Amino acid sequence: MARTFRVFRDGAVLAAFFILLVLIAAKLDKAADSTVRGPFHVIDGDTLAAGGERLRLQGMDAPELDQTCEDDRGRPWACGVEARRLLIRLVAGGEVECLGRERDKYHRLLVRCHSGATSINGTLVRQGLAIASGRYTQEQVAARRERLGLWAGQFESPHDWRASRGMMDDMSFVQAFMDWVKRMTGWQ
């Protein structure tokens, strides 16, 4: 009986220790984010500028500014311009806060932006004016189901559109690996 109690006690202490470590790591992880507040200048559907800082909205990819898409009748529409217009409306006026810590290969801070409880990144995807890339999959499923924005007709993904015009933004495997090592070690 005493052995069972010790095993249970030791297991409970170990579980509490791991929970404490997870909470500390979460707190440190959140503390590492840089916070950027407006006013913001909207470059395109997924890029902002604030002061001298360029910000790239993380977890989504909006059409390029001069990209066009087709509606459900095959008529072209300026989906890149519409994505930018929506982002302008989302960052105008309110208390917008962007959080991020990583940078892309263009040295833009990768951010998640909020206006109050509303996710700006998620709203762009939910309105069908950006494609989810790693996050916001539920928002994309809803936009696609309701045939909003890009999902109302035909479009080329922003990634493929850039690639077809020689604007490829993919990094080589070696560069991607080095960036991962830098993020994991904090090495600059």
Side-chain angles (χ1 to χ4, degrees):
M1 181 73 160
R3 179 170 160 39
T4 304
F5 176 74
R6 280 191 305 242
V7 169
F8 178 75
R9 181 194 65 198
D10 292 347
V13 168
L14 185 61
F17 177 72
F18 280 121
I19 291 170
L20 181 63
L21 283 176
V22 167
L23 291 172
I24 290 170
K27 183 71 173 170
L28 291 174
D29 189 43
K30 191 169 186 167
D33 279 341
S34 294
T35 302
V36 181
R37 292 181 180 85
F40 295 102
H41 172 71
V42 177
I43 308 297
D44 60 23
D46 54 24
T47 310
L48 299 168
E53 183 81 80
R54 286 249 177 168
L55 313 168
R56 170 66 165 78
L57 299 183
Q58 189 176 37
M60 38 99 28
D61 193 11
E64 295 301 317
L65 201 51
D66 52 349
Q67 184 173 347
T68 58
C69 302
E70 291 181 3
D71 66 14
D72 59 347
R73 295 183 180 155
R75 296 177 301 203
W77 63 285
C79 53
V81 170
E82 285 303 314
R84 182 175 186 268
R85 284 183 185 151
L86 177 57
L87 185 53
I88 288 169
R89 286 193 308 271
L90 292 170
V91 300
E95 290 289 320
V96 176
E97 179 178 84
C98 297
L99 303 170
R101 79 178 65 100
E102 297 178 36
R103 293 190 178 271
D104 66 7
K105 73 176 193 172
Y106 303 108
H107 305 292
R108 298 176 297 189
L109 185 63
L110 299 172
V111 295
R112 300 163 317 281
C113 298
H114 291 83
S115 178
T118 303
S119 166
I120 290 174
N121 306 43
T123 300
L124 282 157
V125 175
R126 179 62 180 90
Q127 294 301 313
L129 290 172
I131 296 173
S133 61
R135 292 187 181 196
Y136 312 110
T137 54
Q138 295 299 332
E139 291 87 343
Q140 180 167 303
V141 167
R144 198 171 187 171
R145 180 181 58 245
E146 296 172 26
R147 302 188 53 76
L148 296 175
L150 303 171
W151 306 107
Q154 299 293 316
F155 68 95
E156 189 173 10
S157 78
H159 177 271
D160 292 344
W161 190 88
R162 288 188 298 270
S164 71
R165 285 154 182 77
M167 302 164 58
M168 196 60 180
D169 62 355
D170 285 339
M171 294 184 283
S172 70
F173 173 78
V174 173
Q175 183 63 44
F177 178 75
M178 290 304 295
D179 288 346
W180 178 80
V181 168
K182 288 177 185 178
R183 281 194 312 272
M184 294 297 117
T185 64
W187 174 58
Q188 299 295 326

